[in-house]
């Protein structure tokens, strides 16, 4: 689907007028024809929305040149990337001998050209790279980047990883070190309490979910607070449910799809807890909503004690 076609479909939607954020993924979005035109449209047409770009950070010149073209809106943009460990851990996972070096060169250029530009990093655990979580986290911390961690999504056809009990225990220990650093940052006034508690909840539940996979929240934000559109215009609620389409932009306007019977039926199915996951896109918003509903006064003590008290009653 061309940028012009996509813009036409988005522009006619009344529901999307209140858009709060857009994430452009790929492949490599910076390689897409008319990438800057799409970003400029989103920034100009949706003044309250942030625009995130998911990139592998391989091509320093391309990334910097594209962002320079969008410099007027750079304060509302952010970049998301993936790191699979430091040095050879990242190189081996990516199958590219200098992937980590490319990552570091592009990151250094970003920091030089756009010092305040937000970069977030995701670390997908495998049975080969799990021991490198904390080193990657510490590296990101020195670079002013937030690191999130997840287990692989079991896509159809993707490699499946089975973690031994001792591997999960090691991961748990490393995550606890990250959580302790987060508490220290909070106590030093570097992060706010709500953000800290949501992060602690996510990290604390990561290995627990892996051991005992089940639905945690009754209500999921998928299909209510966010939506996905494929390059071909297919519309679906959630990356884990990309096989369950609710419509096609080439066949029906977005607002009709969002309010249509397929979308309503799938929301009901989700509410009946037929699916579950432990991913950033669902757990963080659900945790944040739970925190908003809770009154802080009855739960006292350290951040970790308040965390336990708040979510024990969710």
């Amino acid at each position: 689907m061309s940028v012009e076609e996509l813009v036409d479909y988005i522009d006619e939607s009344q529901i999307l007028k209140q858009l709060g954020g857009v994430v452009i993924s790929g492949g490599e979005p910076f390689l897409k024809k008319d990438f800057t035109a799409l970003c400029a449209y989103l920034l100009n047409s949706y003044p309250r929305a942030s625009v995130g770009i998911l990139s592998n950070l391989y091509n320093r010149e391309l990334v910097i040149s594209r962002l320079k073209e969008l410099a007027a809106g750079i304060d509302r943009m952010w970049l998301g990337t993936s790191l699979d460990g430091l040095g050879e851990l990242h190189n081996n996972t990516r199958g590219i001998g200098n992937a980590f070096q490319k990552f570091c060169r592009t990151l250094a250029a970003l920091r030089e050209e756009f010092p305040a530009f937000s970069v977030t990093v995701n670390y997908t655990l495998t049975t080969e790279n799990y021991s490198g979580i904390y080193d990657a986290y510490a590296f990101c911390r020195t670079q002013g980047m937030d690191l999130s961690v997840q287990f692989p999504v079991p896509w159809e056809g993707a490699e499946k990883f089975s973690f031994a009990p001792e591997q999960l225990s090691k991961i748990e220990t490393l995550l606890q070190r990250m959580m302790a650093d987060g508490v220290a940052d909070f106590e030093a006034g570097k992060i706010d309490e709500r953000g800290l508690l949501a992060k602690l909840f996510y990290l604390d539940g990561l290995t627990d979910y892996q051991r005992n996979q089940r639905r945690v929240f009754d209500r999921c934000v998928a299909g209510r607070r966010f939506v996905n559109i494929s390059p071909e215009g297919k519309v679906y609620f959630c990356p884990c449910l990309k096989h369950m389409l609710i419509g096609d932009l080439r066949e029906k306007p977005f607002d009709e799809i969002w309010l249509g019977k397929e979308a309503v039926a799938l929301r009901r199915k989700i509410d009946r807890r037929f699916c579950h996951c432990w991913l950033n896109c669902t757990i963080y918003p659900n945790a944040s909503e739970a925190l908003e509903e809770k009154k802080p006064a009855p739960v006292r003590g350290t951040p970790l004690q308040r965390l336990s008290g708040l979510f024990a009653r969710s």
Side-chain angles (χ1 to χ4, degrees):
M1 178 180 292
S2 68
V3 168
E4 292 82 2
E5 187 179 4
L6 177 61
V7 165
D8 284 343
Y9 294 136
I10 296 174
D11 214 30
E12 67 182 0
S13 169
Q14 293 302 309
I15 291 172
L16 293 178
K17 298 301 181 190
Q18 305 303 314
L19 203 60
V22 182
V23 179
I24 304 172
S25 64
E28 176 56 49
F30 287 108
L31 290 171
K32 184 174 177 60
K33 182 183 178 182
D34 296 330
F35 163 79
T36 52
L38 174 60
C39 290
Y41 161 76
L42 293 169
L43 290 166
N44 292 329
S45 301
Y46 302 92
R48 295 187 296 179
S50 63
V51 176
I53 306 157
L54 304 187
S55 170
N56 56 30
L57 296 190
Y58 286 173
N59 193 325
R60 173 179 54 186
E61 290 73 21
L62 179 66
V63 171
I64 297 301
S65 65
R66 291 286 188 268
L67 291 178
K68 282 184 175 180
E69 293 174 23
L70 296 162
I74 203 76
D75 60 327
R76 288 170 45 215
M77 299 179 68
W78 58 274
L79 193 147
T81 189
S82 294
L83 189 59
D84 304 297
L86 302 186
E88 289 306 308
L89 267 181
H90 186 66
N91 295 343
N92 293 339
T93 303
R94 296 283 150 170
I96 299 174
N98 61 347
F100 185 68
Q101 292 86 340
K102 289 182 176 182
F103 179 98
C104 291
R105 284 199 297 267
T106 304
L107 180 60
L110 278 169
R111 289 293 176 245
E112 181 178 349
E113 294 288 343
F114 310 103
F117 191 60
S118 176
V119 180
T120 64
V121 181
N122 189 63
Y123 195 110
T124 300
L125 295 159
T126 70
T127 50
E128 286 75 39
N129 76 352
Y130 71 93
S131 62
I133 316 168
Y134 189 81
D135 290 340
Y137 162 76
F139 168 80
C140 290
R141 206 164 177 230
T142 64
Q143 298 293 322
M145 303 184 299
D146 189 41
L147 178 79
S148 188
V149 184
Q150 69 174 62
F151 283 95
V153 177
W155 305 118
E156 184 178 348
E159 183 178 0
K160 302 294 191 296
F161 295 94
S162 180
F163 291 85
E166 60 271 19
Q167 291 175 320
L168 289 175
S169 295
K170 176 66 173 178
I171 292 168
E172 201 164 44
T173 298
L174 295 171
L175 292 176
Q176 286 169 355
R177 291 181 65 188
M178 292 172 57
M179 293 166 67
D181 287 347
V183 172
D185 285 344
F186 164 74
E187 291 172 342
K190 296 179 181 179
I191 54 176
D192 66 89
E193 184 175 61
R194 181 169 292 175
L196 169 69
L197 291 175
K199 184 173 185 176
L200 293 180
F201 179 72
Y202 176 81
L203 293 175
D204 187 57
L206 199 59
T207 49
D208 177 62
Y209 175 82
Q210 191 67 15
R211 293 186 179 104
N212 178 25
Q213 298 188 12
R214 77 283 185 199
R215 184 73 164 267
V216 174
F217 290 98
D218 287 333
R219 185 179 174 90
C220 182
V221 296
R224 293 185 170 90
R225 287 183 54 174
F226 60 81
V227 69
N228 291 260
I229 300 174
S230 77
E232 301 78 27
K234 310 295 185 184
V235 184
Y236 53 97
F237 284 157
C238 167
C240 294
L241 302 178
K242 63 192 307 180
H243 60 290
M244 303 184 74
L245 300 178
I246 60 168
D248 186 329
L249 290 179
R250 284 175 165 158
E251 298 175 359
K252 194 179 294 184
F254 177 83
D255 290 4
E256 289 186 29
I257 293 172
W258 189 252
L259 300 173
K261 62 181 182 180
E262 292 87 356
V264 171
L266 186 52
R267 287 189 192 99
R268 288 174 179 163
K269 196 168 185 179
I270 292 171
D271 288 344
R272 290 196 294 269
R273 303 166 71 99
F274 95 104
C275 58
H276 53 80
C277 72
W278 198 268
L279 296 173
N280 294 309
C281 52
T282 55
I283 300 302
Y284 271 97
N286 278 321
S288 295
E289 286 187 359
L291 286 167
E292 288 173 6
E293 293 172 1
K294 300 294 181 183
K295 301 298 182 183
V299 185
R300 303 187 184 280
T302 68
L304 281 172
Q305 288 168 338
R306 288 197 291 276
L307 173 78
S308 300
L310 285 168
F311 290 107
R313 299 193 296 272
S314 292

PDB file of all heavy atoms in Angstrom, residues 90-119:
ATOM      1  N   HIS A  90      24.851 -10.068  20.242  1.00  0.00           N
ATOM      2  CA  HIS A  90      23.963  -9.398  19.282  1.00  0.00           C
ATOM      3  C   HIS A  90      24.299  -9.840  17.860  1.00  0.00           C
ATOM      4  O   HIS A  90      23.399 -10.154  17.071  1.00  0.00           O
ATOM      5  CB  HIS A  90      24.110  -7.889  19.431  1.00  0.00           C
ATOM      6  CG  HIS A  90      23.144  -7.100  18.601  1.00  0.00           C
ATOM      7  ND1 HIS A  90      21.781  -7.115  18.825  1.00  0.00           N
ATOM      8  CD2 HIS A  90      23.336  -6.262  17.542  1.00  0.00           C
ATOM      9  CE1 HIS A  90      21.170  -6.327  17.949  1.00  0.00           C
ATOM     10  NE2 HIS A  90      22.095  -5.795  17.161  1.00  0.00           N
ATOM     11  N   ASN A  91      25.584  -9.878  17.530  1.00  0.00           N
ATOM     12  CA  ASN A  91      26.000 -10.263  16.177  1.00  0.00           C
ATOM     13  C   ASN A  91      25.521 -11.664  15.823  1.00  0.00           C
ATOM     14  O   ASN A  91      24.994 -11.901  14.725  1.00  0.00           O
ATOM     15  CB  ASN A  91      27.527 -10.211  16.058  1.00  0.00           C
ATOM     16  CG  ASN A  91      28.085  -8.811  16.205  1.00  0.00           C
ATOM     17  OD1 ASN A  91      27.361  -7.824  16.096  1.00  0.00           O
ATOM     18  ND2 ASN A  91      29.382  -8.713  16.465  1.00  0.00           N
ATOM     19  N   ASN A  92      25.701 -12.587  16.747  1.00  0.00           N
ATOM     20  CA  ASN A  92      25.325 -13.976  16.468  1.00  0.00           C
ATOM     21  C   ASN A  92      23.822 -14.142  16.315  1.00  0.00           C
ATOM     22  O   ASN A  92      23.347 -14.895  15.470  1.00  0.00           O
ATOM     23  CB  ASN A  92      25.836 -14.897  17.589  1.00  0.00           C
ATOM     24  CG  ASN A  92      27.349 -14.986  17.618  1.00  0.00           C
ATOM     25  OD1 ASN A  92      28.016 -14.705  16.627  1.00  0.00           O
ATOM     26  ND2 ASN A  92      27.911 -15.366  18.761  1.00  0.00           N
ATOM     27  N   THR A  93      23.063 -13.446  17.152  1.00  0.00           N
ATOM     28  CA  THR A  93      21.601 -13.542  17.062  1.00  0.00           C
ATOM     29  C   THR A  93      21.103 -12.963  15.747  1.00  0.00           C
ATOM     30  O   THR A  93      20.195 -13.509  15.117  1.00  0.00           O
ATOM     31  CB  THR A  93      20.944 -12.811  18.240  1.00  0.00           C
ATOM     32  OG1 THR A  93      21.425 -13.368  19.467  1.00  0.00           O
ATOM     33  CG2 THR A  93      19.425 -12.955  18.195  1.00  0.00           C
ATOM     34  N   ARG A  94      21.721 -11.862  15.320  1.00  0.00           N
ATOM     35  CA  ARG A  94      21.305 -11.204  14.080  1.00  0.00           C
ATOM     36  C   ARG A  94      21.880 -11.870  12.836  1.00  0.00           C
ATOM     37  O   ARG A  94      21.411 -11.617  11.725  1.00  0.00           O
ATOM     38  CB  ARG A  94      21.745  -9.734  14.113  1.00  0.00           C
ATOM     39  CG  ARG A  94      21.075  -8.927  15.206  1.00  0.00           C
ATOM     40  CD  ARG A  94      19.658  -8.564  14.851  1.00  0.00           C
ATOM     41  NE  ARG A  94      18.811  -8.454  16.029  1.00  0.00           N
ATOM     42  CZ  ARG A  94      17.576  -7.971  16.011  1.00  0.00           C
ATOM     43  NH1 ARG A  94      17.043  -7.575  14.877  1.00  0.00           N
ATOM     44  NH2 ARG A  94      16.860  -7.920  17.101  1.00  0.00           N
ATOM     45  N   GLY A  95      22.935 -12.669  13.026  1.00  0.00           N
ATOM     46  CA  GLY A  95      23.567 -13.297  11.866  1.00  0.00           C
ATOM     47  C   GLY A  95      24.369 -12.329  11.030  1.00  0.00           C
ATOM     48  O   GLY A  95      24.609 -12.563   9.837  1.00  0.00           O
ATOM     49  N   ILE A  96      24.788 -11.223  11.638  1.00  0.00           N
ATOM     50  CA  ILE A  96      25.575 -10.200  10.947  1.00  0.00           C
ATOM     51  C   ILE A  96      26.791  -9.895  11.806  1.00  0.00           C
ATOM     52  O   ILE A  96      26.661  -9.515  12.974  1.00  0.00           O
ATOM     53  CB  ILE A  96      24.747  -8.913  10.717  1.00  0.00           C
ATOM     54  CG1 ILE A  96      23.527  -9.230   9.846  1.00  0.00           C
ATOM     55  CG2 ILE A  96      25.598  -7.821  10.080  1.00  0.00           C
ATOM     56  CD1 ILE A  96      22.586  -8.062   9.675  1.00  0.00           C
ATOM     57  N   GLY A  97      27.981 -10.042  11.249  1.00  0.00           N
ATOM     58  CA  GLY A  97      29.202  -9.957  12.023  1.00  0.00           C
ATOM     59  C   GLY A  97      29.468  -8.638  12.707  1.00  0.00           C
ATOM     60  O   GLY A  97      30.138  -8.590  13.741  1.00  0.00           O
ATOM     61  N   ASN A  98      28.936  -7.545  12.152  1.00  0.00           N
ATOM     62  CA  ASN A  98      29.184  -6.226  12.754  1.00  0.00           C
ATOM     63  C   ASN A  98      27.896  -5.510  13.148  1.00  0.00           C
ATOM     64  O   ASN A  98      27.833  -4.284  13.166  1.00  0.00           O
ATOM     65  CB  ASN A  98      29.997  -5.350  11.805  1.00  0.00           C
ATOM     66  CG  ASN A  98      29.287  -5.094  10.479  1.00  0.00           C
ATOM     67  OD1 ASN A  98      28.293  -5.763  10.162  1.00  0.00           O
ATOM     68  ND2 ASN A  98      29.784  -4.150   9.701  1.00  0.00           N
ATOM     69  N   ALA A  99      26.862  -6.291  13.453  1.00  0.00           N
ATOM     70  CA  ALA A  99      25.566  -5.682  13.792  1.00  0.00           C
ATOM     71  C   ALA A  99      25.669  -4.772  15.009  1.00  0.00           C
ATOM     72  O   ALA A  99      25.091  -3.675  15.028  1.00  0.00           O
ATOM     73  CB  ALA A  99      24.523  -6.776  14.038  1.00  0.00           C
ATOM     74  N   PHE A 100      26.399  -5.213  16.045  1.00  0.00           N
ATOM     75  CA  PHE A 100      26.513  -4.401  17.258  1.00  0.00           C
ATOM     76  C   PHE A 100      27.307  -3.131  16.987  1.00  0.00           C
ATOM     77  O   PHE A 100      26.970  -2.058  17.500  1.00  0.00           O
ATOM     78  CB  PHE A 100      27.174  -5.205  18.375  1.00  0.00           C
ATOM     79  CG  PHE A 100      27.220  -4.466  19.689  1.00  0.00           C
ATOM     80  CD1 PHE A 100      26.055  -4.206  20.394  1.00  0.00           C
ATOM     81  CD2 PHE A 100      28.431  -4.035  20.221  1.00  0.00           C
ATOM     82  CE1 PHE A 100      26.082  -3.525  21.606  1.00  0.00           C
ATOM     83  CE2 PHE A 100      28.471  -3.363  21.438  1.00  0.00           C
ATOM     84  CZ  PHE A 100      27.302  -3.099  22.121  1.00  0.00           C
ATOM     85  N   GLN A 101      28.340  -3.230  16.182  1.00  0.00           N
ATOM     86  CA  GLN A 101      29.121  -2.045  15.842  1.00  0.00           C
ATOM     87  C   GLN A 101      28.265  -1.034  15.076  1.00  0.00           C
ATOM     88  O   GLN A 101      28.358   0.181  15.324  1.00  0.00           O
ATOM     89  CB  GLN A 101      30.347  -2.447  15.006  1.00  0.00           C
ATOM     90  CG  GLN A 101      31.389  -3.247  15.784  1.00  0.00           C
ATOM     91  CD  GLN A 101      31.102  -4.747  15.807  1.00  0.00           C
ATOM     92  OE1 GLN A 101      29.961  -5.186  15.575  1.00  0.00           O
ATOM     93  NE2 GLN A 101      32.137  -5.543  16.097  1.00  0.00           N
ATOM     94  N   LYS A 102      27.451  -1.510  14.163  1.00  0.00           N
ATOM     95  CA  LYS A 102      26.540  -0.621  13.431  1.00  0.00           C
ATOM     96  C   LYS A 102      25.559   0.047  14.390  1.00  0.00           C
ATOM     97  O   LYS A 102      25.273   1.242  14.273  1.00  0.00           O
ATOM     98  CB  LYS A 102      25.778  -1.412  12.361  1.00  0.00           C
ATOM     99  CG  LYS A 102      26.618  -1.846  11.175  1.00  0.00           C
ATOM    100  CD  LYS A 102      25.747  -2.582  10.168  1.00  0.00           C
ATOM    101  CE  LYS A 102      26.536  -2.932   8.922  1.00  0.00           C
ATOM    102  NZ  LYS A 102      25.688  -3.616   7.901  1.00  0.00           N
ATOM    103  N   PHE A 103      25.034  -0.743  15.301  1.00  0.00           N
ATOM    104  CA  PHE A 103      24.105  -0.227  16.313  1.00  0.00           C
ATOM    105  C   PHE A 103      24.762   0.916  17.085  1.00  0.00           C
ATOM    106  O   PHE A 103      24.182   1.993  17.253  1.00  0.00           O
ATOM    107  CB  PHE A 103      23.731  -1.378  17.257  1.00  0.00           C
ATOM    108  CG  PHE A 103      22.804  -1.015  18.377  1.00  0.00           C
ATOM    109  CD1 PHE A 103      21.439  -1.254  18.277  1.00  0.00           C
ATOM    110  CD2 PHE A 103      23.281  -0.451  19.553  1.00  0.00           C
ATOM    111  CE1 PHE A 103      20.576  -0.938  19.319  1.00  0.00           C
ATOM    112  CE2 PHE A 103      22.434  -0.131  20.596  1.00  0.00           C
ATOM    113  CZ  PHE A 103      21.069  -0.370  20.480  1.00  0.00           C
ATOM    114  N   CYS A 104      25.983   0.685  17.552  1.00  0.00           N
ATOM    115  CA  CYS A 104      26.678   1.691  18.372  1.00  0.00           C
ATOM    116  C   CYS A 104      27.025   2.940  17.560  1.00  0.00           C
ATOM    117  O   CYS A 104      26.934   4.070  18.069  1.00  0.00           O
ATOM    118  CB  CYS A 104      27.934   1.090  18.984  1.00  0.00           C
ATOM    119  SG  CYS A 104      27.606  -0.163  20.244  1.00  0.00           S
ATOM    120  N   ARG A 105      27.425   2.765  16.312  1.00  0.00           N
ATOM    121  CA  ARG A 105      27.764   3.928  15.481  1.00  0.00           C
ATOM    122  C   ARG A 105      26.538   4.801  15.234  1.00  0.00           C
ATOM    123  O   ARG A 105      26.607   6.030  15.316  1.00  0.00           O
ATOM    124  CB  ARG A 105      28.360   3.469  14.143  1.00  0.00           C
ATOM    125  CG  ARG A 105      29.792   2.980  14.219  1.00  0.00           C
ATOM    126  CD  ARG A 105      30.446   2.981  12.853  1.00  0.00           C
ATOM    127  NE  ARG A 105      29.779   2.072  11.929  1.00  0.00           N
ATOM    128  CZ  ARG A 105      30.141   0.812  11.726  1.00  0.00           C
ATOM    129  NH1 ARG A 105      31.170   0.302  12.411  1.00  0.00           N
ATOM    130  NH2 ARG A 105      29.499   0.057  10.865  1.00  0.00           N
ATOM    131  N   THR A 106      25.421   4.159  14.935  1.00  0.00           N
ATOM    132  CA  THR A 106      24.198   4.934  14.696  1.00  0.00           C
ATOM    133  C   THR A 106      23.731   5.607  15.976  1.00  0.00           C
ATOM    134  O   THR A 106      23.298   6.766  15.963  1.00  0.00           O
ATOM    135  CB  THR A 106      23.086   4.023  14.138  1.00  0.00           C
ATOM    136  OG1 THR A 106      23.554   3.377  12.959  1.00  0.00           O
ATOM    137  CG2 THR A 106      21.843   4.837  13.802  1.00  0.00           C
ATOM    138  N   LEU A 107      23.820   4.904  17.090  1.00  0.00           N
ATOM    139  CA  LEU A 107      23.428   5.482  18.373  1.00  0.00           C
ATOM    140  C   LEU A 107      24.282   6.705  18.699  1.00  0.00           C
ATOM    141  O   LEU A 107      23.758   7.737  19.142  1.00  0.00           O
ATOM    142  CB  LEU A 107      23.556   4.434  19.474  1.00  0.00           C
ATOM    143  CG  LEU A 107      23.180   4.889  20.893  1.00  0.00           C
ATOM    144  CD1 LEU A 107      21.723   5.343  20.949  1.00  0.00           C
ATOM    145  CD2 LEU A 107      23.427   3.748  21.889  1.00  0.00           C
ATOM    146  N   ALA A 108      25.588   6.602  18.483  1.00  0.00           N
ATOM    147  CA  ALA A 108      26.482   7.736  18.749  1.00  0.00           C
ATOM    148  C   ALA A 108      26.128   8.928  17.869  1.00  0.00           C
ATOM    149  O   ALA A 108      26.129  10.086  18.324  1.00  0.00           O
ATOM    150  CB  ALA A 108      27.932   7.317  18.513  1.00  0.00           C
ATOM    151  N   ALA A 109      25.793   8.668  16.605  1.00  0.00           N
ATOM    152  CA  ALA A 109      25.408   9.750  15.701  1.00  0.00           C
ATOM    153  C   ALA A 109      24.092  10.398  16.135  1.00  0.00           C
ATOM    154  O   ALA A 109      23.930  11.624  16.051  1.00  0.00           O
ATOM    155  CB  ALA A 109      25.286   9.208  14.274  1.00  0.00           C
ATOM    156  N   LEU A 110      23.154   9.564  16.602  1.00  0.00           N
ATOM    157  CA  LEU A 110      21.887  10.099  17.113  1.00  0.00           C
ATOM    158  C   LEU A 110      22.123  11.015  18.305  1.00  0.00           C
ATOM    159  O   LEU A 110      21.532  12.103  18.403  1.00  0.00           O
ATOM    160  CB  LEU A 110      20.968   8.952  17.530  1.00  0.00           C
ATOM    161  CG  LEU A 110      20.160   8.254  16.447  1.00  0.00           C
ATOM    162  CD1 LEU A 110      19.532   6.980  16.991  1.00  0.00           C
ATOM    163  CD2 LEU A 110      19.091   9.179  15.886  1.00  0.00           C
ATOM    164  N   ARG A 111      22.974  10.584  19.207  1.00  0.00           N
ATOM    165  CA  ARG A 111      23.256  11.389  20.398  1.00  0.00           C
ATOM    166  C   ARG A 111      23.943  12.704  20.037  1.00  0.00           C
ATOM    167  O   ARG A 111      23.742  13.724  20.690  1.00  0.00           O
ATOM    168  CB  ARG A 111      24.140  10.583  21.367  1.00  0.00           C
ATOM    169  CG  ARG A 111      23.396   9.426  22.035  1.00  0.00           C
ATOM    170  CD  ARG A 111      22.323   9.956  22.983  1.00  0.00           C
ATOM    171  NE  ARG A 111      21.531   8.886  23.583  1.00  0.00           N
ATOM    172  CZ  ARG A 111      20.243   8.706  23.370  1.00  0.00           C
ATOM    173  NH1 ARG A 111      19.595   9.490  22.531  1.00  0.00           N
ATOM    174  NH2 ARG A 111      19.584   7.752  23.986  1.00  0.00           N
ATOM    175  N   GLU A 112      24.747  12.684  18.983  1.00  0.00           N
ATOM    176  CA  GLU A 112      25.436  13.911  18.558  1.00  0.00           C
ATOM    177  C   GLU A 112      24.488  14.879  17.865  1.00  0.00           C
ATOM    178  O   GLU A 112      24.502  16.082  18.132  1.00  0.00           O
ATOM    179  CB  GLU A 112      26.593  13.560  17.616  1.00  0.00           C
ATOM    180  CG  GLU A 112      27.387  14.777  17.150  1.00  0.00           C
ATOM    181  CD  GLU A 112      28.556  14.411  16.257  1.00  0.00           C
ATOM    182  OE1 GLU A 112      28.884  13.207  16.152  1.00  0.00           O
ATOM    183  OE2 GLU A 112      29.142  15.329  15.657  1.00  0.00           O
ATOM    184  N   GLU A 113      23.644  14.346  16.977  1.00  0.00           N
ATOM    185  CA  GLU A 113      22.743  15.202  16.192  1.00  0.00           C
ATOM    186  C   GLU A 113      21.496  15.610  16.968  1.00  0.00           C
ATOM    187  O   GLU A 113      21.001  16.728  16.832  1.00  0.00           O
ATOM    188  CB  GLU A 113      22.330  14.486  14.906  1.00  0.00           C
ATOM    189  CG  GLU A 113      23.455  14.235  13.925  1.00  0.00           C
ATOM    190  CD  GLU A 113      23.932  15.511  13.235  1.00  0.00           C
ATOM    191  OE1 GLU A 113      23.205  16.529  13.266  1.00  0.00           O
ATOM    192  OE2 GLU A 113      25.038  15.478  12.671  1.00  0.00           O
ATOM    193  N   PHE A 114      20.957  14.673  17.765  1.00  0.00           N
ATOM    194  CA  PHE A 114      19.693  14.911  18.480  1.00  0.00           C
ATOM    195  C   PHE A 114      19.850  14.448  19.930  1.00  0.00           C
ATOM    196  O   PHE A 114      19.355  13.377  20.306  1.00  0.00           O
ATOM    197  CB  PHE A 114      18.550  14.164  17.812  1.00  0.00           C
ATOM    198  CG  PHE A 114      18.446  14.377  16.323  1.00  0.00           C
ATOM    199  CD1 PHE A 114      18.897  13.398  15.433  1.00  0.00           C
ATOM    200  CD2 PHE A 114      17.920  15.552  15.818  1.00  0.00           C
ATOM    201  CE1 PHE A 114      18.803  13.589  14.070  1.00  0.00           C
ATOM    202  CE2 PHE A 114      17.827  15.747  14.443  1.00  0.00           C
ATOM    203  CZ  PHE A 114      18.270  14.771  13.566  1.00  0.00           C
ATOM    204  N   PRO A 115      20.543  15.214  20.762  1.00  0.00           N
ATOM    205  CA  PRO A 115      20.882  14.772  22.125  1.00  0.00           C
ATOM    206  C   PRO A 115      19.685  14.368  22.975  1.00  0.00           C
ATOM    207  O   PRO A 115      19.804  13.473  23.819  1.00  0.00           O
ATOM    208  CB  PRO A 115      21.591  16.000  22.717  1.00  0.00           C
ATOM    209  CG  PRO A 115      22.094  16.755  21.539  1.00  0.00           C
ATOM    210  CD  PRO A 115      21.095  16.541  20.454  1.00  0.00           C
ATOM    211  N   ALA A 116      18.528  15.014  22.774  1.00  0.00           N
ATOM    212  CA  ALA A 116      17.359  14.725  23.610  1.00  0.00           C
ATOM    213  C   ALA A 116      16.414  13.692  22.990  1.00  0.00           C
ATOM    214  O   ALA A 116      15.366  13.391  23.556  1.00  0.00           O
ATOM    215  CB  ALA A 116      16.588  16.019  23.892  1.00  0.00           C
ATOM    216  N   PHE A 117      16.781  13.146  21.843  1.00  0.00           N
ATOM    217  CA  PHE A 117      15.899  12.216  21.137  1.00  0.00           C
ATOM    218  C   PHE A 117      15.741  10.930  21.942  1.00  0.00           C
ATOM    219  O   PHE A 117      16.712  10.324  22.390  1.00  0.00           O
ATOM    220  CB  PHE A 117      16.477  11.906  19.759  1.00  0.00           C
ATOM    221  CG  PHE A 117      15.546  11.184  18.841  1.00  0.00           C
ATOM    222  CD1 PHE A 117      14.337  11.739  18.472  1.00  0.00           C
ATOM    223  CD2 PHE A 117      15.879   9.941  18.326  1.00  0.00           C
ATOM    224  CE1 PHE A 117      13.470  11.078  17.608  1.00  0.00           C
ATOM    225  CE2 PHE A 117      15.029   9.268  17.468  1.00  0.00           C
ATOM    226  CZ  PHE A 117      13.823   9.845  17.106  1.00  0.00           C
ATOM    227  N   SER A 118      14.490  10.497  22.122  1.00  0.00           N
ATOM    228  CA  SER A 118      14.197   9.321  22.943  1.00  0.00           C
ATOM    229  C   SER A 118      14.415   8.033  22.156  1.00  0.00           C
ATOM    230  O   SER A 118      13.889   7.866  21.051  1.00  0.00           O
ATOM    231  CB  SER A 118      12.750   9.388  23.444  1.00  0.00           C
ATOM    232  OG  SER A 118      12.426   8.225  24.170  1.00  0.00           O
ATOM    233  N   VAL A 119      15.191   7.123  22.744  1.00  0.00           N
ATOM    234  CA  VAL A 119      15.429   5.809  22.150  1.00  0.00           C
ATOM    235  C   VAL A 119      15.093   4.746  23.190  1.00  0.00           C
ATOM    236  O   VAL A 119      15.583   4.792  24.321  1.00  0.00           O
ATOM    237  CB  VAL A 119      16.896   5.641  21.702  1.00  0.00           C
ATOM    238  CG1 VAL A 119      17.108   4.256  21.085  1.00  0.00           C
ATOM    239  CG2 VAL A 119      17.289   6.735  20.700  1.00  0.00           C
TER     240      VAL A 119
END
